[in-house]
Amino acid sequence: MNQEVRTRFAPSPTGYLHLGGLRTALYTYLLAKKHGGKFILRIEDTDQEREVPGAVELIYKSMRQAGLAYDEGPDVGGDYGPYIQTQRRDIYPKYAWDLVERGGAYCCFCTKEELDEQRREAEAKGETWKYNKKCLHNVPLAEAKRRIAAGEPYVIRQNVPTEGKAGFDDLLYGHVEVDCSTLDDNVLIKADGLPTYNFANVVDDHLMAITHVTRGTEYLSSAPKYNLLYEAFGWQPPLYLHLPAVMVESVLMDKTTRQPILDENGNTQPVVRKLSKRYGDPSFEDLLEQGYLKEAIINFIALLGWAPKGTNEEFFSLDDLVRVFDESGVNKSPSIFNMEKLTWFNAEYIRRMTPDAYRVAATPWLSRVLDPARTDFARLCELLQGRTEVFSQLPGMVDFLAEMPEFSPDLYVNKKSKTTPEIAKQALLFVQPILKEITDWTEGTLHDIVMAAIPASGMKNGQVLWPLRIAITGRAATPGGAFEMAYLLGREETLRRLQKAIDDLA
Ligand code: GLU
């Protein structure tokens, strides 16, 4: 391909970057990078009513966090700017008027009331409403210009042929074609002078020399109409890759309360629906906040609807993806988002971190409950790394080190080692004086001295070690055994907890 590949991610600033959006951004980035081309960020903010304050900055931030560096964009510049559509507002009317002159568009003065009336009439006849081209037929261009000069509000509509077919070629869906008679004369320029998405995407993709358009399949049915615009202008249309939605298996829920809607038997009702923030599905930001690694999220997202050819490998860094990505590996059927699978990826990525990288990532989470000056974080991290699935679990995994939890004597019961609360008490009374004697409070010394002493007690190793660990942690599951926990707690705290446990068993 001798033409430089230029792709664009074109989000509307309507909220958080949801995972479907992130996947579109990722595939768009990969497509450009694989061909050594340019990846562009464009902000599509012409629907000002839907704009959420702060959303633009969030897009920049999320893209940076994801590592999807764009070559051109609002905050990095480029030769094809501005990259925010409202800042391009003067560009669009010029092109719309060019279309009007060519007969591909016309001015429409119908008021909202008139249009509502037409819609009602159509619906009464059981027809789907589409604009009836009244202004095309009744208002000659010279009259339109006079009315506009006199200050009358107007919009510019696309003049879609009433017969014939409109179509386009999609890299995934092949040739897509519709009857023109099914298409509506969309508004291209609104009464406020701003373009609609329907117009701006075409003009901008052309002016920004975009070669590949990647976006969700929700645009599949409008794309023939966009192609009519390319034809009317005499422009070369881009290549299209429409991506199937990311779905999630869920239960039917009320949009507002987010509570399940039960059937008549009081059961939840399974549904497969689009991933949506509205129902509480996590955004990219949410996942980062919950302690998922961006590398794991990117890897997981890449495989949501795409598979590499000729390999079963599942682990790909962003650079690996650039090398192996191929648009022909994109799957036509919608993909299912599976949180457990993401968590599995995350745990694998955590396991593959260097100890130093793990410690850096884990420290802020551990510091929420532990004082780094009092606990050996380096040792704790060694114990935790293989057990961490998501960083947000860490505070709950180690909080017992900061404060001894209340626990029931039943916790001493262990079927495997046949430990009962009675045996536990015996074990604790046995081990207490031994521990008190130890001053070199290292895991090695604790281990060697206690293990050497157990045989003389007549108890099994487990019958001593299990109660000891329970007594000083109050937890059935801890990130390590009795000696590791005793070391992390320190001599004084271990002995204090042990005494309390013995008193509680009295
Ligand atoms: N602004 C559109 C959206 O956020 C983008 C569609 C496109 O990429 O053309 O859905």
Side-chain angles (χ1 to χ4, degrees):
M1 204 178 294
N2 39 26
Q3 189 188 11
E4 182 185 48
V5 168
R6 291 174 56 84
T7 68
R8 89 298 189 275
F9 177 53
S12 299
T14 51
Y16 284 87
L17 184 56
H18 58 87
L19 295 177
L22 180 65
R23 191 194 55 169
T24 303
L26 174 62
Y27 289 3
T28 308
Y29 169 87
L30 295 175
L31 199 56
K33 295 297 140 185
K34 146 189 162 159
H35 292 292
K38 295 269 167 23
F39 172 58
I40 291 127
L41 176 70
R42 181 170 79 219
I43 300 293
E44 302 207 322
D45 60 345
T46 60
D47 191 350
Q48 300 258 281
E49 278 169 25
R50 289 180 58 224
E51 180 154 353
V52 171
V56 174
E57 283 66 33
L58 237 157
I59 292 168
Y60 303 156
K61 187 172 156 212
S62 299
M63 295 292 281
R64 264 197 302 278
Q65 284 173 323
L68 303 179
Y70 34 96
D71 302 289
E72 298 169 28
D75 56 340
V76 301
D79 294 340
Y80 296 80
Y83 294 92
I84 297 186
Q85 286 184 330
T86 48
Q87 293 175 11
R88 302 170 64 79
R89 63 192 309 151
D90 295 341
I91 296 174
Y92 309 106
K94 202 170 89 216
Y95 284 94
W97 277 103
D98 181 22
L99 262 194
V100 171
E101 302 288 346
R102 291 163 184 255
Y106 57 94
C107 301
C108 172
F109 299 88
C110 290
T111 59
K112 184 175 177 305
E113 290 71 33
E114 270 178 84
L115 296 174
D116 285 346
E117 179 59 33
Q118 287 181 19
R119 195 171 288 125
R120 266 195 302 275
E121 275 172 25
E123 279 165 10
K125 282 191 245 159
E127 292 165 4
T128 352
W129 178 79
K130 57 183 203 135
Y131 182 62
N132 60 11
K133 293 185 186 277
K134 182 175 151 207
C135 289
L136 173 69
H137 300 308
N138 297 344
V139 189
L141 188 51
E143 184 193 328
K145 286 182 177 168
R146 261 198 315 278
R147 286 168 70 172
I148 291 166
E152 199 173 324
Y154 71 105
V155 301
I156 298 181
R157 284 185 187 276
Q158 182 173 359
N159 182 17
V160 177
T162 45
E163 11 182 82
K165 295 203 183 283
F168 73 100
D169 292 308
D170 187 89
L171 291 170
L172 187 57
Y173 292 89
H175 188 67
V176 178
E177 202 173 66
V178 296
D179 283 328
C180 288
S181 60
T182 62
L183 301 175
D184 188 18
D185 282 2
N186 272 153
V187 171
L188 303 179
I189 302 284
K190 297 180 280 184
D192 63 4
L194 279 172
T196 55
Y197 165 77
N198 294 317
F199 192 51
N201 90 86
V202 171
V203 173
D204 285 348
D205 285 340
H206 173 72
L207 294 181
M208 294 182 180
I210 301 302
T211 55
H212 295 65
V213 164
T214 37
R215 62 182 166 214
T217 43
E218 63 270 31
Y219 295 97
L220 204 52
S221 60
S222 323
K225 210 155 31 182
Y226 306 150
N227 244 24
L228 289 173
L229 291 172
Y230 280 98
E231 277 170 26
F233 279 121
W235 294 340
Q236 164 82 29
L239 294 170
Y240 292 100
L241 177 63
H242 286 89
L243 301 168
V246 180
M247 312 294 281
V248 64
E249 283 172 2
S250 178
V251 293
L252 196 61
M253 275 201 282
D254 186 287
K255 276 180 206 158
T256 345
T257 63
R258 287 190 191 168
Q259 293 303 311
I261 301 176
L262 304 178
D263 67 12
E264 62 271 23
N265 301 320
N267 298 321
T268 54
Q269 307 173 69
V271 283
V272 176
R273 59 164 172 75
K274 258 176 125 171
L275 208 56
S276 148
K277 180 83 185 156
R278 219 177 29 202
Y279 291 108
D281 297 327
S283 66
F284 178 54
E285 286 290 316
D286 292 334
L287 290 176
L288 292 177
E289 271 167 31
Q290 287 168 27
Y292 285 87
L293 294 168
K294 75 156 198 237
E295 293 82 2
I297 304 173
I298 290 288
N299 193 152
F300 168 76
I301 291 282
L303 298 174
L304 269 182
W306 169 82
K309 296 255 165 76
T311 169
N312 291 326
E313 180 60 47
E314 284 194 287
F315 289 90
F316 299 101
S317 68
L318 191 56
D319 288 342
D320 294 336
L321 287 169
V322 169
R323 259 183 293 109
V324 298
F325 185 77
D326 181 352
E327 61 273 20
S328 65
V330 175
N331 202 323
K332 251 192 204 176
S333 43
S335 46
I336 304 281
F337 174 81
N338 178 327
M339 197 71 187
E340 284 89 58
K341 181 83 195 212
L342 170 59
T343 304
W344 178 84
F345 261 109
N346 205 59
E348 284 297 318
Y349 268 85
I350 289 178
R351 235 155 269 156
R352 290 161 189 228
M353 290 171 101
T354 63
D356 280 348
Y358 177 83
R359 200 163 64 229
V360 169
T363 295
W365 295 93
L366 296 175
S367 303
R368 289 189 185 187
V369 289
L370 297 177
D371 179 355
R374 295 186 50 195
T375 309
D376 181 348
F377 272 26
R379 178 63 184 134
L380 181 56
C381 284
E382 280 174 5
L383 295 170
L384 286 169
Q385 183 163 2
R387 297 173 159 91
T388 316
E389 289 186 310
V390 182
F391 283 103
S392 56
Q393 295 168 333
L394 290 182
M397 285 168 78
V398 302
D399 55 0
F400 68 89
L401 291 171
E403 200 178 335
M404 181 66 194
E406 293 290 326
F407 69 100
S408 139
D410 294 344
L411 208 55
Y412 287 118
V413 177
N414 185 302
K415 296 225 171 72
K416 212 169 117 218
S417 62
K418 298 206 173 65
T419 307
T420 59
E422 292 68 38
I423 293 182
K425 188 172 174 197
Q426 194 189 325
L428 299 183
L429 287 169
F430 160 74
V431 84
Q432 187 184 39
I434 300 171
L435 292 180
K436 276 188 177 164
E437 285 298 305
I438 301 177
T439 47
D440 172 31
W441 202 260
T442 59
E443 286 174 33
T445 306
L446 288 164
H447 172 274
D448 293 349
I449 294 184
V450 174
M451 294 311 275
I454 292 178
S457 73
M459 286 179 281
K460 291 188 268 183
N461 287 349
Q463 289 176 322
V464 176
L465 299 182
W466 173 270
L468 173 58
R469 195 172 57 81
I470 299 294
I472 61 175
T473 66
R475 292 277 173 83
T478 53
F483 303 126
E484 282 112 353
M485 295 305 106
Y487 162 71
L488 287 170
L489 285 165
R491 184 172 187 276
E492 201 184 317
E493 181 64 9
T494 301
L495 294 177
R496 194 186 67 75
R497 291 185 178 195
L498 190 54
Q499 183 63 55
K500 165 103 177 28
I502 291 170
D503 295 345
D504 287 347
L505 281 172

